[in-house]
Amino acid sequence: MEESICIQKLNSQNDQKFKNWDFLSSDLTEKILSYLPIRSIIVASSVCKIWNSIITSSSFTTKISATKKQPWLFLCGQNSIFYNNNQPFAYDPDANEWISLPTSTLLSQDFFIGSNGFFFATTSEKFSFKPIFNGIWVQTSPLRFSRCNPLVGVYNIGLNRRFIVVGGVRFVGGLVDVEDRLAVEIYNPNLDNWELCPPLPADFRSGNSSQWLCSALLRDKFYYVFGIYSCFITCFNLDEHLWSEVQTLRPPGILFSFLVTCRDCLVLGGLCNSTNGPNFVLWKVDEKTMEFSELATMPQALMYCLFDSDEDDKFASLKCVGLGNLVYVYNEEHLKNYPACVCEFSNDFGMCSWRKLPNLPPNASKFHRVISFCSNVSLDNILVGARI
C-alpha cells in the first residue's frame, strides 16, 4: 500500500515537472535547445509546435549555424559490381557518431565526389550535383572537355556559388588519353554555364585525377592543387584565373601527403619515415613562402589502431581530409571497417588533441572505392528535406 502511494506521488511530481517545462519562456527554451548537437535539434523539432517554431526560425538557425562549425566527415563507399551496395555515411563530431545517409543520395553508376556542402557525380559525358542533405540531382550543361574523376571545388563570389573542375581522366577508345590538356572549367549554377580557364600546369600530366591529386580552397580566393606523391603544388587565383609557378612541398622523409585547409591556413598531413619508424605528421604551411613547420604527430598507438596487418605497405591506405579546426585521418581498406581518427586544433594551433572515431554503423559493406571529404553542416541545410 505504501509503495502504491509513493508511485502516485512520484507520477504527480513528474506531471508537475512537465507542466513547469511548458511555462519556460521561449528565450530559455531556445537557449536549452541550442546546446544540443544538430542531429538532436532536428529530432527535437518534431516534439511539439512550440519547439518546431523556435528551431525553424531564421534567428535560431542562423545562431546554430554560426556556433556549431565543426566540419562533418563524409565517407561514401562505392561497389564497382553491385551498385545497390553503394553507401554514404556522415560523422557528426558534436554527437560523436556516424549517421547512415539514404542510399538514394548517390548516383550508382557514376564517379562520385564531394566538396563543401555538395555531392558531385561525373562521367565522361555528364556532370551532376546536389546539396548534401536536400534537393535533387541536377545535371548541368555539358562540360567543354569531358573527363572522369576530376578534382572539384566549391567557392563563393558574394552570395553566389561557383564549382571549379580541374583535371580528370579522359578516355579515347576505352584508353586513357595521355595527351589530355588537363582542362580547368568553372561552372555558374545560376546561368548553367561553363567557363574555360587556363589548364593545369603540365607538371601534373602524369597523374591528373583525384586519385593522385588533392586540392585545398583558401578564403574563397585561392585554389591549391597538390600531388599526393609528387609533392608538386600550384595555386589557381580565383579572381584572376591564373596558375602560379609550380613548386615542390616535400618535408624530409615524406612518403605521401595531403593538403587541407584549417583555420584559414594550409596544413599538410602525411606519412613520414623517421628514426622511430613511420609517423603521420601534420605541418602548417606558409602560403607565401611554402615553408612548413610541424604542428602535431599522431600517437603511435592510435596510428596502429587503424591497421590489423604487419605488411610493409599497410600504411599506403591512409587518407587525410580536413577543414575548420579538424583533420581526419582514415584507413580506406575494409579490413577493420574503415577506422578513422581526428586531430582537433585550438584557435591558434597552440594545442591539439587526437582521438579515435567510433566504428562505422554495422551495416557498412565492403567497397571497391571510398571517397571522403569534409564539409560544414548548417541547421538550415538539414531542415530542408533532411532524412537523418
Side-chain angles (χ1 to χ4, degrees), residues 7-166:
I7 292 175
Q8 289 178 3
K9 287 183 178 180
L10 183 60
N11 288 336
S12 176
Q13 291 172 356
N14 286 338
D15 290 341
Q16 186 62 39
K17 287 180 180 178
F18 285 119
K19 289 179 181 178
N20 290 339
W21 180 268
D22 291 338
F23 287 105
L24 288 177
S25 67
S26 59
D27 289 345
L28 184 55
T29 302
E30 178 179 316
K31 186 174 182 64
I32 294 172
L33 292 171
S34 68
Y35 286 104
L36 297 174
I38 287 183
R39 191 184 183 206
S40 299
I41 292 174
I42 298 299
V43 175
S45 67
S46 301
V47 170
C48 63
K49 291 183 178 179
I50 295 177
W51 287 15
N52 181 270
S53 64
I54 292 174
I55 291 171
T56 56
S57 67
S58 59
S59 61
F60 185 79
T61 56
T62 300
K63 180 190 299 183
I64 296 301
S65 298
T67 56
K68 298 185 183 298
K69 288 187 174 182
Q70 285 196 317
W72 289 29
L73 171 65
F74 291 84
L75 190 148
C76 306
Q78 288 186 299
N79 190 301
S80 302
I81 301 174
F82 302 106
Y83 296 138
N84 290 336
N85 288 347
N86 293 351
Q87 291 176 286
F89 303 94
Y91 170 74
D92 177 357
D94 289 321
N96 189 34
E97 64 179 349
W98 286 97
I99 302 163
S100 295
L101 300 179
T103 54
S104 58
T105 299
L106 307 182
L107 288 180
S108 59
Q109 74 277 18
D110 296 343
F111 288 99
F112 188 75
I113 316 164
S115 177
N116 198 19
F118 286 86
F119 289 137
F120 300 95
T122 66
T123 66
S124 59
E125 299 177 351
K126 64 182 181 179
F127 184 92
S128 305
F129 69 92
K130 75 176 294 294
I132 290 172
F133 286 116
N134 58 72
I136 60 174
W137 281 99
V138 176
Q139 185 173 329
T140 72
S141 56
L143 287 153
R144 299 193 184 191
F145 287 87
S146 62
R147 79 288 293 278
C148 296
N149 207 20
L151 296 174
V152 179
V154 181
Y155 67 100
N156 299 305
I157 300 179
L159 298 177
N160 299 312
R161 286 192 176 92
R162 297 289 188 272
F163 305 150
I164 180 170
V165 180
V166 177

Side-chain angles (χ1 to χ4, degrees), residues 328-359:
Y328 294 98
V329 183
Y330 72 97
N331 184 344
E332 67 172 355
E333 294 292 336
H334 64 262
L335 297 176
K336 294 189 71 176
N337 203 27
Y338 311 99
C341 63
V342 63
C343 180
E344 182 173 355
F345 288 106
S346 61
N347 290 340
D348 58 356
F349 290 102
M351 297 181 62
C352 72
S353 61
W354 291 87
R355 67 178 185 273
K356 189 178 184 298
L357 269 59
N359 292 332

Side-chain angles (χ1 to χ4, degrees), residues 317-335:
S317 55
L318 280 181
K319 303 294 180 184
C320 175
V321 294
L323 191 67
N325 64 328
L326 301 180
V327 176
Y328 294 98
V329 183
Y330 72 97
N331 184 344
E332 67 172 355
E333 294 292 336
H334 64 262
L335 297 176

